[in-house]
Amino acid sequence: MKNKTKIILGLSLSLLILPMNTWASGQDREIENKNIIETNVEKEKIYNIPVKLMQEGQDRESMGNKALVSTAKVIYSGDKVKVELTFKGLDLNGMKGHLTNLFYYENNISPKDGGKPIETKVEKTFTDTGMDGQNKEFNQVFSFTIDKNVFEASDFLWCRVWVDVMDGFMGGPGSGAQNARLVFDKANKTDVTPGGELPNPPTPPAPPAPPTPNLGNKDKLIEALRNYSNLGGPQYTYDSNMKYVIAYNSAMALLSRNNVTDSEINSAISNLKSTANGLTKDSNSGNWNNNNNNSWGNNNSSWGNNNNSWGSNNNSWGSNNNSWGSSNSNNNNGPVTIQYEVPVEVLHAHQGGYSMANSAINHTARVEERNGEFRYSVQFGQMQKNFAGKPLVGNLTNLFVLDGGKTRANQSSGNTWSWVMKGKYDRVNVAIWVDAMDEIAGKGPGGGEQNAILSFNWNGAKEVGRVGGNNNQNQQNQNQQNQQKQQNQNQQAVQNNNTNNFTDTSGHWAKTAIDYVVSKGYFAGLSKTEFGPNKAITRGQFVSVLGRMLNVNVNDYKDQNFKDVKSGMYYSPYIAWANKVGIVSGVGQGNFAPDKELTREEMAVMMTKFLKLSGKNLNAKGKTNAFKDDAKIQGWAKDSVKEMARLGLVSGMGDDNFAPKSPFTRAQVAQVLYNIDHN
């Protein structure tokens, strides 16, 4: 009996122990699995990274950088990165400007290469004084999320900013938009991953109450500025000119400040007088080649007869001995001078559309030709915009020609700037200083320097006079032949210089065409070393190229008819233009499909309509017989394909086929544009 009891008790204990052991081992496995899961999940990491807003095409701070709080909050989570940027108001001439919208470019593709701008998310707003003097809500913290590998592939991200003061100058929200680069100093990032609540970037302090203006002797300063304005010019040395310009700009800056002491004003006036009196004559100035008998033009070549025209009062092109038209000229001796009036516009250097300076330039330039050399002269007035009755004024204070170097143009009365080049150029790269932009940048004179392009429309130029020489027709013809020869040589040199760094065009069948279109600025490479000749072009990109060829004013085309074209996209105004003038009609159902690859037959239709619109009358240089795959060409495209072939703009794919459904490549675009300009 006792033994039987022992057996029963032993079995009972075994049964009790077994589940406990099984439960314990199961619990261990659960804990182990949990640890594995936690190990496999990457923890969220948060960093504060120094950041700057830099200009699109040069290593200079963007004007919007002054509004950017210099620390970005960057959150790593798995394979994504979230970037948060904080902005504050800009103090400008007693008013407040603000960044009103921010876009980032998808996959960080350059805007020049067709990158797609995407609007960021507004995380936080704040109350501040607007340009109209009223308190209102402004965007303060913007955020966007991109792939981790995209963020880590580069130290900068492409972006597009809207600033209300720029938009005010240009005509409306987004019209003054600028492309820029967000440059991150990743080497100095700080790990701020918290144990609790996530930290935010420092919030800018609330704007202080505006101080009571202290006018001091501002009336006295204004009088001094009137007495000592526009005194610099080509007859003075560069150093003395620069000292005067800096003194003048510094005095102008005092007018925009609320609190200015009498001593500051007196010091500015004294400095202005001193630099004006210190302007030093340049021994190399005066008439061209220092030969008075060879001066350009004559005293009768002034432009216009009112206060706003070329040639008013003392602003005549031929009003003094330093002009090309001095009274010492001899109309019967020396080389002939041919005088032209040429339409001119100021374009953005790194994106489509007009520069803000375009509203201030006299849109008729003067160009004078002699012995194959050309003196260009352009004149600028004020840029002015009223905000709630308060004027915001900008003045161009310096102009540099970027032609293999950086050379300051000669300034004369009437804020006219002149320089000499060896050819008829339709695009001249320049750098400009505008006092209002310098103030926004907060870096002193030149701190807001902007690159731009002076676009001369030689197709619309007209000859307005010939002076000097004996006006013998044979001599004139020889001068014109020499000038054309020099122009062709210079253009070829520019083309070669612009493409020397491309590593993927050497030996390519379209290299000559690629060199040409890059030099003309129709589009650029994918990077400094890659053009991407065999990559397809999209419908939106191609329409933008056509618009740039005709210098379309993007500000005139803000109303969009296609529902799949966002107004913030770079190609939006060009598509609106092309639709309005009948080049494109979309793909149906109110869509345009801007990001779809352009087919060869679609290209043919767009291009034939473009040629009719532009008035380009091309000679037939191609074939008239049909392609072997003519049956595959859509009916709506057949006539256009035949016309393009007849003109010699396309020649098929090498096997006597047109390949209508194949994508149109960047190299093929380059070749068509080259063929048009060289027909």
Side-chain angles (χ1 to χ4, degrees):
M1 182 69 178
K2 288 181 180 179
N3 291 336
K4 187 180 289 187
T5 303
K6 288 180 180 178
I7 293 171
I8 293 171
L9 287 172
L11 288 171
S12 301
L13 287 171
S14 298
L15 290 171
L16 287 171
I17 291 171
L18 180 60
M20 290 178 65
N21 291 338
T22 303
W23 174 84
S25 61
Q27 185 184 39
D28 290 341
R29 283 194 296 271
E30 184 179 345
I31 293 172
E32 182 180 352
N33 290 339
K34 184 177 180 182
N35 289 337
I36 291 173
I37 293 171
E38 288 182 350
T39 301
N40 290 337
V41 175
E42 185 177 350
K43 291 183 178 179
E44 187 174 83
K45 298 287 289 184
I46 304 172
Y47 299 94
N48 283 345
I49 303 181
V51 63
K52 285 185 176 181
L53 193 63
M54 305 295 287
Q55 291 186 18
E56 177 184 13
Q58 56 188 129
D59 192 23
R60 297 177 64 89
E61 292 179 5
S62 167
M63 289 181 289
N65 187 63
K66 193 177 177 183
L68 175 65
V69 173
S70 59
T71 301
K73 177 180 175 182
V74 180
I75 305 170
Y76 283 76
S77 181
D79 60 355
K80 298 292 182 181
V81 172
K82 180 180 180 181
V83 180
E84 291 188 5
L85 301 163
T86 304
F87 290 85
K88 58 186 178 181
L90 288 165
D91 292 312
L92 178 65
N93 197 27
M95 293 178 276
K96 295 295 288 289
H98 299 84
L99 187 137
T100 58
N101 214 344
L102 177 69
F103 299 80
Y104 70 99
Y105 279 88
E106 187 176 40
N107 295 324
N108 203 27
I109 297 175
S110 160
K112 274 192 173 181
D113 299 322
K116 178 182 178 182
I118 301 175
E119 192 169 1
T120 60
K121 179 182 178 182
V122 177
E123 298 279 358
K124 188 177 180 181
T125 62
F126 73 118
T127 302
D128 202 3
T129 306
M131 297 292 292
D132 57 3
Q134 302 296 316
N135 285 341
K136 57 182 68 176
E137 290 292 309
F138 291 97
N139 297 330
Q140 183 180 40
V141 179
F142 298 84
S143 73
F144 57 93
T145 300
I146 60 175
D147 290 340
K148 177 182 175 181
N149 61 344
V150 173
F151 181 76
E152 292 186 339
S154 175
D155 287 333
F156 71 87
L157 297 176
W158 292 105
C159 67
R160 188 169 179 84
V161 296
W162 293 10
V163 179
D164 49 12
V165 62
M166 309 300 171
D167 291 345
F169 270 122
M170 296 299 288
S175 59
Q178 297 266 324
N179 290 325
R181 295 174 296 131
L182 287 163
V183 179
F184 297 87
D185 183 6
K186 297 177 182 177
N188 290 308
K189 67 182 180 182
T190 304
D191 189 341
V192 293
T193 306
E197 185 179 352
L198 302 182
N200 285 317
T203 300
T212 303
N214 171 22
L215 295 180
N217 288 323
K218 280 194 175 180
D219 290 340
K220 183 179 177 183
L221 178 61
I222 292 172
E223 185 63 25
L225 286 166
R226 288 172 177 165
N227 293 335
Y228 296 96
S229 64
N230 292 325
L231 295 183
Q235 65 269 37
Y236 300 112
T237 63
Y238 175 81
D239 287 340
S240 64
N241 256 317
M242 288 302 296
K243 289 178 181 178
Y244 164 75
V245 168
I246 291 172
Y248 183 84
N249 289 347
S250 298
M252 284 289 293
L254 293 182
L255 292 179
S256 64
R257 287 173 45 189
N258 288 324
N259 284 325
V260 184
T261 65
D262 290 345
S263 61
E264 287 178 303
I265 289 177
N266 290 334
S267 175
I269 293 175
S270 176
N271 193 29
L272 183 61
K273 289 181 178 179
S274 174
T275 55
N277 293 331
L279 287 169
T280 305
K281 290 282 186 178
D282 187 347
S283 60
N284 293 320
S285 68
N287 293 306
W288 194 58
N289 286 344
N290 294 323
N291 185 340
N292 286 343
N293 290 328
N294 289 331
S295 61
W296 298 68
N298 59 38
N299 272 338
N300 295 323
S301 62
S302 62
W303 298 20
N305 55 14
N306 59 60
N307 291 335
N308 295 321
S309 69
W310 297 93
S312 63
N313 298 330
N314 294 324
N315 294 334
S316 166
W317 288 87
S319 61
N320 56 58
N321 290 334
N322 293 317
S323 74
W324 291 23
S326 72
S327 58
N328 293 325
S329 64
N330 185 331
N331 289 339
N332 295 315
N333 296 303
V336 64
T337 299
I338 307 173
Q339 301 169 332
Y340 303 94
E341 290 181 358
V342 188
V344 62
E345 306 279 356
V346 189
L347 309 178
H348 279 299
H350 306 292
Q351 63 187 71
Y354 291 99
S355 164
M356 285 187 297
N358 194 56
S359 64
I361 195 172
N362 183 326
H363 290 288
T364 302
R366 180 66 164 252
V367 181
E368 298 174 278
E369 172 193 357
R370 188 177 65 188
N371 277 352
E373 292 198 294
F374 297 76
R375 180 167 180 171
Y376 294 74
S377 295
V378 293
Q379 184 182 49
F380 287 88
Q382 284 187 331
M383 291 173 279
Q384 181 168 332
K385 181 71 176 179
N386 290 326
F387 296 92
K390 296 176 66 177
L392 181 61
V393 177
N395 297 279
L396 188 138
T397 59
N398 231 329
L399 187 145
F400 300 88
V401 177
L402 308 178
D403 183 26
K406 185 176 181 179
T407 306
R408 185 177 186 267
N410 291 322
Q411 183 186 19
S412 57
S413 58
N415 208 21
T416 299
W417 298 82
S418 304
W419 65 96
V420 176
M421 303 182 81
K422 291 183 179 295
K424 286 183 178 179
Y425 289 96
D426 54 2
R427 296 165 71 90
V428 177
N429 294 312
V430 297
I432 57 177
W433 294 10
V434 177
D435 50 13
M437 302 303 106
D438 291 345
E439 186 177 350
I440 292 174
K443 298 286 185 179
E449 177 179 293
Q450 295 279 305
N451 286 355
I453 296 171
L454 293 175
S455 176
F456 295 90
N457 179 14
W458 282 99
N459 290 330
K462 61 180 180 179
E463 182 180 322
V464 295
R466 292 187 179 225
V467 294
N470 57 17
N471 287 327
N472 180 273
Q473 188 63 45
N474 291 332
Q475 178 185 350
Q476 294 173 14
N477 291 339
Q478 185 62 48
N479 287 341
Q480 291 175 347
Q481 291 172 8
N482 292 340
Q483 169 254 310
Q484 185 63 47
K485 181 180 178 181
Q486 185 65 55
Q487 179 186 357
N488 292 338
Q489 292 173 349
N490 290 335
Q491 287 181 345
Q492 186 62 49
V494 171
Q495 294 165 16
N496 293 337
N497 288 337
N498 272 313
T499 56
N500 282 340
N501 294 328
F502 290 143
T503 59
D504 58 354
T505 61
S506 179
H508 195 279
W509 62 267
K511 176 173 170 50
T512 299
I514 292 169
D515 292 352
Y516 174 78
V517 297
V518 170
S519 73
K520 297 289 287 184
Y522 296 157
F523 51 60
L526 299 176
S527 68
K528 290 183 178 179
T529 58
E530 181 189 6
F531 180 79
N534 299 322
K535 293 186 177 181
I537 194 168
T538 67
R539 288 165 55 84
Q541 292 169 3
F542 184 71
V543 169
S544 299
V545 169
L546 299 183
R548 293 188 193 111
M549 286 186 73
L550 293 186
N551 288 326
V552 169
N553 185 350
V554 295
N555 296 316
D556 293 338
Y557 301 94
K558 297 177 181 178
D559 296 326
Q560 185 57 252
N561 292 329
F562 297 110
K563 60 186 180 183
D564 63 342
V565 179
K566 295 182 179 179
S567 60
M569 302 297 289
Y570 74 96
Y571 48 60
S572 177
Y574 293 112
I575 293 173
W577 158 75
N579 179 233
K580 183 175 181 179
V581 299
I583 293 177
V584 299
S585 56
V587 295
Q589 298 181 339
N591 293 319
F592 181 75
D595 299 319
K596 176 181 174 292
E597 291 181 352
L598 182 75
T599 66
R600 291 170 54 80
E601 61 184 2
E602 287 174 335
M603 173 278 301
V605 173
M606 291 184 190
M607 185 58 74
T608 52
K609 293 179 179 179
F610 168 81
L611 292 175
K612 290 178 182 178
L613 172 74
S614 64
K616 296 179 181 292
N617 296 315
L618 305 184
N619 297 318
K621 294 184 176 182
K623 54 181 281 184
T624 56
N625 56 306
F627 291 103
K628 288 195 300 184
D629 59 348
D630 182 75
K632 296 181 180 180
I633 302 172
Q634 293 289 332
W636 48 263
K638 283 184 179 292
D639 290 342
S640 294
V641 171
K642 289 179 181 178
E643 179 65 9
M644 291 287 286
R646 185 184 72 84
L647 294 174
L649 299 181
V650 296
S651 56
M653 298 296 288
D655 54 358
D656 211 26
N657 286 318
F658 183 71
K661 304 299 187 295
S662 297
F664 201 51
T665 67
R666 290 167 57 85
Q668 291 167 349
V669 174
Q671 189 63 56
V672 169
L673 303 185
Y674 178 89
N675 291 347
I676 289 174
D677 283 357
H678 292 79
N679 182 265

